[in-house]
């Protein structure tokens, strides 16, 4: 599996992953502000702006969006927030990830998080916050596997959220 930025030639695979993910998780974003009818090159340009911290909307922080690819198929995605704001400290954290439904329970989330920790370590982050729903044992087991230490369980928008910190070293 490879973890990398999206490329223009990924459009068809990305659209399949997007549709599959949204179908199975209608309340959770696979790609923020994207739909399959939009200009893909424009979406890629927007991702570059977000990474550079340019033209951020209220509440946004500089962020990187990476996809997990097996062969030529996109099987998941990772969002890396380069810094935290007050909202992300409660829900969202530094790293968010999602796996396309047909690729779940195959170790993809764990592999993605391991590769992502290498990326954020390279960015200079030493402690990263990850959050997940309290009723999502698949996600919190992955976080714990990679050294996540539970900070606490909090209520957010009527649901319980687990906050974990992973220390990446000095």
């Amino acid at each position: 599996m490879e973890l990398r930025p999206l490329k223009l030639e990924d459009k068809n695979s990305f659209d399949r992953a997007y549709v599959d993910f949204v179908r199975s998780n209608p309340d959770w974003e696979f790609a923020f502000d994207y739909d399959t009818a939009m200009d893909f090159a424009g979406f890629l340009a927007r991702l570059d702006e977000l990474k550079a911290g340019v033209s951020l909307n209220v509440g946004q922080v500089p962020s990187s969006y990476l996809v997990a690819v097996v062969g030529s198929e996109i099987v998941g995605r990772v969002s890396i927030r380069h810094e935290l704001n007050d909202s992300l400290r409660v829900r969202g954290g530094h790293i968010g990830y999602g796996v396309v439904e047909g690729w779940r329970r195959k170790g993809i989330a764990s592999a993605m998080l391991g590769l992502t920790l290498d990326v954020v370590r390279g960015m200079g982050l030493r402690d990263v916050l990850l959050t997940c729903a309290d009723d999502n044992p698949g996600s919190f087991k992955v976080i714990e596997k990679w050294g996540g230490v539970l900070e606490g369980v909090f209520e957010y928008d009527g649901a319980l959220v687990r906050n974990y910190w992973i220390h990446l070293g000095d």
Side-chain angles (χ1 to χ4, degrees):
M1 186 187 78
E2 177 185 18
L3 187 68
R4 61 167 173 77
L6 271 172
K7 301 176 185 177
L8 196 54
E9 57 268 22
D10 290 327
K11 179 167 178 18
N12 291 335
S13 178
F14 187 75
D15 283 349
R16 283 191 301 275
Y18 176 83
V19 168
D20 187 33
F21 193 90
V22 169
R23 181 186 47 75
S24 64
N25 297 77
D27 297 328
W28 208 76
E29 291 286 335
F30 187 74
F32 302 99
D33 302 325
Y34 179 74
D35 75 55
T36 56
M38 73 187 307
D39 173 55
F40 196 65
F43 178 65
L44 296 180
R46 179 63 183 143
L47 293 178
D48 287 340
E49 287 180 346
L50 292 171
K51 185 176 180 179
V54 175
S55 300
L56 298 176
N57 296 323
V58 173
Q60 285 184 312
V61 298
S63 59
S64 298
Y65 187 91
L66 305 173
V67 290
V69 182
V70 172
S72 61
E73 285 301 307
I74 292 174
V75 300
R77 67 92 169 145
V78 174
S79 298
I80 302 169
R81 272 76 68 170
H82 304 179
E83 58 192 56
L84 297 178
N85 58 24
D86 289 341
S87 176
L88 290 170
R89 278 183 178 78
V90 176
R91 181 74 167 126
H94 287 99
I95 300 169
Y97 55 87
V99 177
V100 174
E101 184 178 34
W103 291 88
R104 293 182 188 147
R105 293 175 180 61
K106 297 180 181 187
I108 297 296
S110 183
M112 285 188 338
L113 182 54
L115 292 171
T116 302
L117 293 174
D118 288 339
V119 170
V120 297
R121 189 178 289 112
M123 295 168 58
L125 294 173
R126 293 297 171 247
D127 293 288
V128 292
L129 175 67
L130 289 89
T131 71
C132 68
D134 187 53
D135 63 356
N136 186 350
S139 188
F140 63 72
K141 286 178 183 177
V142 167
I143 296 168
E144 290 170 355
K145 173 185 174 181
W146 285 101
V149 176
L150 183 64
E151 175 184 55
V153 179
F154 307 93
E155 185 176 339
Y156 182 81
D157 275 351
L160 294 178
V161 176
R162 289 175 171 243
N163 283 13
Y164 286 90
W165 285 93
I166 298 177
H167 179 68
L168 300 173
D170 299 320

